Amino acid sequence: MSRAARRLAAVQTPVIPVMAELIGQTPGTLSMGQGMVHWGPPPPVLAALRPAASADGASDDPALHAYGPVAGDPALLEELKRWLVREHGLDLAGASVLVSAGSNMAFNAVVQVLCDPGDELILPVPYYFNHEMAIRLAGGTPVPVQAGLIPDPEQLAAAITPRSRAIVTVSPNNPSGAVIPQGVLEAINRLCADHGLLHICDEAYALFGHGDTPVWSPGSQPGSAAHTITLGSLSKSHGMAGWRVGWALVPEALMPELAKVQDTILICPPRLIQRAAAAALADGSSWCRQRIAALGARRQRVLQALIQPEKPWRVLGPADGAFYALLQLNAPLSSDAAMERLIREHRVALVSGSSFGLSGCCLRLSYGMLDEASLDDALQRLQNGLAQLCAIPGPVG
Ligand SMILES: Cc1ncc(COP(=O)(O)O)c(C=O)c1O
């Protein structure tokens, strides 16, 4: 009988489809679960597709139908470099850009390149579940470190071994919304430079800063390219999650090896999507920044409803960025059970904290997706649900 390779047994079951199944079984559920925004791409993106899709075929571009360069089309690579410098101040000296089908796929390519069996990547907890999964798929070993929501560089340093290859940070953070201050990221960069490690910075939410701590890119430090990888994406800022386009800025010495992985798996990024991505970037950031700024008001409503010291739950850490907040419940339940009961009994969906490596009873809330009118209703359901879950008597003794 055929069987899956043994390493798959250690890869967690993706939590989002589990949650989606529960929502599907519970009509009327309001979802504060999946990490998406409620808008779609800016108008120039769809306009860029029109010539390619014209009915008469007259302006059809034959290049779109052929395989393209492995790392991405030159027009997009140039637009992307301008964007990375203009919007995030990145230092491109000594760096190369790989466009991929989403930044998840770029992360996958990076860990394929970094990991011999048993090589270690340090993941501050909470981690983004797909990072942990990708490392296991590549045969590497994720090393979760409880270093605080704003990770303490000294605790990360203590986890470094001769097998360590990289430290992964996510700022603004999924699942906590925490924005890691510049000084902390600089310290992690130094640590990586000193130990011959890579600092892999997942910046899927780079434009999503709402609080007082500015979002800062470690790749903007002059000379950082040799030990820094910056991952980015149009999925969140531009409402293009389904288009599957993202990138990695990598030390140029890694590019030939990354090209082997990308050639094997994707051959080239989809060329029509690259054309759309170039139009999105050329449009500038004000269109998305306006929408992201409006999320700030939702964040206030969410935090006002949930930060209540007398309640048996608390919001962990400063939910200053992305569109997430992390809740810890004083309840004798697993995170998975809490997710299931909130959906089945209260028709409101949040994501179980166990998928992010969190122990105890934790849930991730996303305020990016719901329409305005449903937010108060969802928060009311959530408050009632949390109160009931936390009222369950714990084990005696
Ligand atoms: C931290 C982080 N990185 C990457 C991704 C996925 O990005 P993409 O759609 O570009 O693969 C997500 C999606 O939730 C995310 O939260």
Side-chain angles (χ1 to χ4, degrees), residues 35 102-104 128 131 170 174 202 204-205 233 235-236 244-245 324:
S103 61
N104 261 7
Y128 170 48
H131 289 164
V170 182
N174 175 10
D202 187 326
Y205 303 94
S233 170
S235 293
K236 316 290 175 178
R244 309 311 301 131
V245 58
Y324 300 120

Side-chain angles (χ1 to χ4, degrees), residues 50-324:
R50 246 169 247 138
S54 71
D56 64 0
S59 47
D60 193 276
D61 179 354
L64 289 174
H65 310 306
Y67 295 127
V70 174
D73 284 341
L76 174 57
L77 291 175
E78 285 316 305
E79 205 59 69
L80 186 49
K81 286 179 195 164
R82 278 195 288 275
W83 170 273
L84 293 174
V85 172
R86 192 176 67 228
E87 302 296 337
H88 307 297
L90 296 192
D91 179 17
L92 303 186
S96 299
V97 184
L98 175 83
V99 172
S100 199
S103 61
N104 261 7
M105 190 176 253
F107 182 85
N108 258 278
V110 166
V111 294
Q112 290 284 341
V113 165
L114 291 186
C115 290
D116 280 322
D119 279 347
E120 297 171 355
L121 270 78
I122 293 171
L123 300 180
V125 175
Y127 48 70
Y128 170 48
F129 43 74
N130 283 145
H131 289 164
E132 192 251 0
M133 294 159 79
I135 295 163
R136 290 192 191 281
L137 281 176
T141 304
V143 178
V145 180
Q146 308 280 348
L149 284 190
I150 303 295
D152 171 7
E154 283 187 21
Q155 293 188 52
L156 299 179
I160 296 173
T161 75
R163 299 302 306 268
S164 303
R165 301 300 320 274
I167 300 175
V168 183
T169 58
V170 182
S171 177
N173 189 261
N174 175 10
S176 73
V179 176
I180 306 179
Q182 175 171 347
V184 175
L185 290 167
E186 278 172 351
I188 298 173
N189 250 13
R190 259 196 312 279
L191 204 57
C192 290
D194 291 349
H195 289 81
L197 309 180
L198 284 164
H199 183 181
I200 304 177
C201 312
D202 187 326
E203 301 189 355
Y205 303 94
L207 295 184
F208 292 75
H210 313 295
D212 294 334
T213 311
V215 176
W216 183 77
S217 291
S220 66
Q221 217 170 30
S224 60
H227 54 269
T228 311
I229 290 181
T230 306
L231 301 167
S233 170
L234 294 181
S235 293
K236 316 290 175 178
S237 55
H238 289 72
M240 293 175 71
W243 294 64
R244 309 311 301 131
V245 58
W247 56 84
L249 189 73
V250 302
E252 59 193 7
L254 279 189
M255 203 56 195
E257 308 304 327
L258 280 167
K260 291 180 192 169
V261 178
Q262 174 119 316
D263 184 77
T264 307
I265 293 176
L266 193 58
I267 300 184
C268 70
R271 302 190 80 186
L272 186 59
I273 302 300
Q274 292 189 71
R275 180 178 285 191
L281 297 175
D283 191 45
S285 64
S286 63
W287 191 92
C288 6
R289 283 188 193 275
Q290 274 169 26
R291 280 154 185 79
I292 292 166
L295 281 184
R298 288 180 180 211
R299 168 179 166 267
Q300 293 294 359
R301 280 159 72 190
V302 167
L303 296 181
Q304 237 159 33
L306 295 175
I307 300 183
Q308 298 194 36
E310 74 284 4
K311 300 285 186 190
W313 66 79
R314 64 192 185 102
V315 175
L316 290 178
D320 276 349
F323 36 74
Y324 300 120

